[in-house]
Amino acid sequence: MPTYRKADFPVRNVRRFLEPGPVVLVSSAHKGQTNIMTMAWHMMMEFQPALIGCCISSANHSFELIRKSRQCVINLPTVDLADKVVRIGNSSGRDIDKFTAFGLTAAPAEMVAAPLIAECYANFECRLADTSWVTKYNVFVFKVVKAHVATRPKTPKTIHYRGDGEFMISGEETRKFRKLFRPEML
């Protein structure tokens, strides 16, 4: 097993190693307005019920749409949408209709008013479960109320943000380490 020679690293950049998961597109709707935002700051908070914590800047157009509607859809794009994901993140829904501008299909959700993004590998319909961190930290805690996931490919190539404009792509065949874990841990 290798050991690594280490050097000091700027604390402000530790997120480059700790980003929790794939970049997602969050779609929202409120009073006839829809929007899509790119987000990398999210985390699983509980498995049953499925709770997801999301940090959304109060300066983001989606912040008020989600705060007022109390719902959204977390959409999982794959690498083939990488260019659109970045461009969506670099534009504002105050200025453009992102579905039209980026050629994405708004599909109806079953449990929330926010639209699904049809071109995404998975869509998770969410309702706001806890508002206590919204005003203090801009963290929304959502309960997933409906999940839609493509049947193929089994392991999608997803986009992961490393900070400073750097991305990684995942999607290699999953390695199985089940023998290392006790069944109650799975």
Side-chain angles (χ1 to χ4, degrees):
M1 183 177 334
T3 59
Y4 299 94
R5 191 172 136 213
K6 311 226 177 30
D8 288 344
F9 190 80
V11 173
R12 72 181 177 279
N13 290 333
V14 297
R15 68 188 178 128
R16 299 187 78 194
F17 301 97
L18 299 174
E19 286 291 348
V23 173
V24 297
L25 294 173
V26 179
S27 52
S28 55
H30 184 66
K31 292 192 175 182
Q33 278 191 309
T34 61
N35 196 36
I36 306 170
M37 66 170 280
T38 300
M39 180 174 63
W41 292 355
H42 55 82
M43 65 181 166
M44 288 301 305
M45 297 181 75
E46 184 57 81
F47 302 114
Q48 186 60 29
L51 296 178
I52 301 172
C54 301
C55 185
I56 302 172
S57 170
S58 60
N60 191 300
H61 182 56
S62 291
F63 181 90
E64 284 301 317
L65 296 177
I66 294 169
R67 189 182 67 77
K68 290 177 179 174
S69 70
R70 303 176 61 88
Q71 54 187 258
C72 68
V73 177
I74 297 174
N75 302 274
L76 179 64
T78 52
V79 69
D80 55 307
L81 292 174
D83 181 57
K84 290 182 184 195
V85 168
V86 172
R87 289 177 25 227
I88 287 167
N90 288 328
S91 62
S92 174
R94 287 182 185 92
D95 305 324
I96 60 172
D97 174 341
K98 292 186 185 182
F99 281 99
T100 302
F102 299 107
L104 296 173
T105 308
E110 292 180 32
M111 307 278 292
V112 299
L116 311 177
I117 300 174
E119 291 79 6
C120 286
Y121 180 83
N123 316 98
F124 307 114
E125 299 181 36
C126 301
R127 292 190 190 276
L128 192 57
D130 187 333
T131 61
S132 62
W133 287 0
V134 173
T135 54
K136 189 170 185 177
Y137 300 110
N138 294 345
V139 173
F140 292 76
V141 178
F142 294 109
K143 177 180 177 182
V144 179
V145 294
K146 181 74 177 176
H148 313 266
V149 178
T151 57
R152 290 186 175 234
K154 184 178 179 182
T155 309
K157 292 185 186 236
T158 55
I159 309 157
H160 297 255
Y161 188 57
R162 297 196 64 218
D164 297 324
E166 268 186 38
F167 294 85
M168 294 176 14
I169 306 301
S170 73
E172 290 183 16
E173 188 59 36
T174 305
R175 294 183 185 160
K176 298 192 181 199
F177 294 104
R178 289 189 180 271
K179 291 180 186 176
L180 300 175
F181 298 100
R182 296 187 310 270
E184 62 271 14
M185 293 178 69
L186 299 176

